[in-house]
Amino acid sequence: MKIECPQCRKVYDIPDERLPDKQTFSFSCPACKGMITVNGPGEKAGDLPKGEALKKQILRKLTALPAMPQTVMKARNIMSNERSSFDQLARALETDQAIASKLLRLSNSSYYGMRGKIASIQHASVVLGFKTLKEIITLAGSSSLLANKLEGYGLDAGDLWQHSLGAAFAAKLIARKKCPELAEDAFVAGLIHDCGKLVLDEAILERKGLFERVLANGAHSFLKAEKTILGFDHPEMAYALCKSWNIPESLGTAIRYHHAPSRSGNDRMTFIVHIADALAMMSGLGAGIDAMAYEMDPKAMAAVGLGEEDLPSIMAQMVESVIQVTDA
């Protein structure tokens, strides 16, 4: 049987008689030391696609995934035009009652300090201003995407939404503290950093037995198990999804490398989202089975200019912000 390492792509030719029948096992690649998982000759999961074949199959299905609501994209475009008016924005939002109702609910959350005071889109536009409203619109548009149950990742309905909110608020807090000009983009990147899980969950669930066996000894993180079993991971799929949504490349880079920020070319926003994701995990916000063996890049804190003494305050504000928004 020819076996290819998913990390370095080196191919090994191992005689079938040396492979345990109907068993899955892992070994360290002699070339790059990465883990290779092998299905025995009788393993049914071995018939499932992997690597580029699986990725192409998933990408073909992307059209079936709910797109970022067109109303949200239209509203963000209006707000990017300096000549736009509050009336134009209000008219665009009112064409989508689902988005409009979510926007009003979020606007009235205690987080934005307007609990029970915002009665209409026009009122929200005037009182909150474009910058804050743009943030709320993004929240309203992503909430329906991130609220579903993801069995493959062990996430109940609402868990991914809660975790994404935590990462978004933590990213904004860190950016405001160290890179104020990145605060708005860091918030959006933190909010949708795990969107790859939306399209990978079905594949994870189909290979549940393989994941359980690879993770059984505790040597693998869930991210490494994804790479070993699928041939790619959820940040890679998230990047592909961002491209389909026409998300700016600067945000796409932060999302693509949020688990490996050192590979981003020392991009500060990527390090910010990486730390924010870790803080949300550490706080238990929507943590699924992929929180096992979570690793923070040892260079991350220094890259952003954060000290250990900064973390308790950021975590406390992050958790409080999530509570205030979800209590709306």
Side-chain angles (χ1 to χ4, degrees):
M1 175 185 286
K2 291 188 183 296
I3 298 169
E4 182 183 69
C5 173
Q7 285 83 29
C8 69
R9 302 301 181 187
K10 186 173 179 61
V11 177
Y12 299 94
D13 193 354
I14 301 177
D16 285 352
E17 58 269 20
R18 293 179 58 187
L19 300 174
D21 188 35
K22 296 186 179 181
Q23 292 183 25
T24 297
F25 67 97
S26 299
F27 66 93
S28 177
C29 173
C32 71
K33 307 304 179 185
M35 293 302 295
I36 302 175
T37 296
V38 182
N39 303 323
E43 179 69 70
K44 291 182 179 179
D47 297 331
L48 293 171
K50 181 180 178 180
E52 286 302 312
L54 175 59
K55 187 187 296 185
K56 288 178 181 178
Q57 181 185 89
I58 292 174
L59 288 173
R60 283 197 299 269
K61 293 181 179 179
L62 280 183
T63 53
L65 186 75
M68 184 65 77
Q70 291 302 307
T71 302
V72 174
M73 303 304 290
K74 184 176 180 180
R76 289 180 67 86
N77 288 335
I78 290 174
M79 297 173 83
S80 297
N81 187 340
E82 294 180 357
R83 297 180 180 179
S84 298
S85 67
F86 285 119
D87 286 341
Q88 284 177 291
L89 179 62
R91 285 198 299 272
L93 292 170
E94 286 173 344
T95 61
D96 188 325
Q97 286 303 309
I99 294 294
S101 62
K102 288 177 184 177
L103 189 150
L104 285 175
R105 180 166 54 82
L106 289 166
S107 297
N108 281 295
S109 69
S110 53
Y111 176 78
Y112 292 104
M114 294 290 169
R115 197 174 186 91
K117 297 179 181 179
I118 304 295
S120 68
I121 300 297
Q122 290 91 336
H123 190 200
S125 300
V126 174
V127 174
L128 296 173
F130 266 20
K131 189 174 181 180
T132 298
L133 196 58
K134 193 173 183 179
E135 179 176 294
I136 297 175
I137 289 168
T138 304
L139 285 174
S142 59
S143 62
S144 58
L145 288 174
L146 302 172
N148 295 331
K149 181 177 183 178
L150 300 180
E151 292 185 43
Y153 285 96
L155 293 167
D156 289 331
D159 282 353
L160 183 58
W161 171 236
Q162 187 181 59
H163 173 74
S164 300
L165 277 177
F169 286 125
K172 184 169 73 170
L173 288 165
I174 295 169
R176 278 182 173 174
K177 194 177 186 70
K178 298 297 179 180
C179 315
E181 72 281 3
L182 298 179
E184 184 178 339
D185 284 350
F187 177 85
V188 177
L191 187 65
I192 61 175
H193 75 284
D194 270 345
C195 63
K197 292 180 180 179
L198 301 173
V199 295
L200 274 189
D201 189 63
E202 182 180 339
I204 300 290
L205 198 57
E206 287 178 336
R207 296 158 179 79
K208 184 177 180 181
L210 283 174
F211 275 89
E212 288 176 346
R213 286 191 284 274
V214 169
L215 295 169
N217 61 7
H220 273 57
S221 66
F222 200 91
L223 188 75
K224 288 181 179 177
E226 285 179 344
K227 194 76 172 178
T228 298
I229 295 171
L230 304 178
F232 51 87
D233 52 33
H234 70 269
E236 190 171 341
M237 288 307 306
Y239 182 65
L241 190 53
C242 284
K243 280 188 170 296
S244 76
W245 285 340
N246 295 315
I247 298 294
E249 184 65 23
S250 58
L251 274 70
T253 295
I255 291 166
R256 172 67 186 91
Y257 296 109
H258 75 266
H259 277 289
S262 293
R263 293 170 53 197
S264 69
N266 294 319
D267 178 67
R268 296 196 80 185
M269 188 159 69
T270 304
F271 279 103
I272 289 171
V273 174
H274 172 71
I275 296 171
D277 184 31
L279 294 181
M281 287 284 191
M282 290 164 59
S283 299
L285 291 172
I289 56 177
D290 64 321
M292 297 164 53
Y294 191 91
E295 301 173 356
M296 184 187 285
D297 189 311
K299 300 177 182 178
M301 299 284 283
V304 176
L306 283 177
E308 293 291 336
E309 68 279 3
D310 295 314
L311 299 186
S313 174
I314 292 172
M315 291 177 69
Q317 291 180 70
M318 172 189 68
V319 172
E320 180 61 25
S321 297
V322 171
I323 291 172
Q324 289 177 335
V325 167
T326 55
D327 191 41

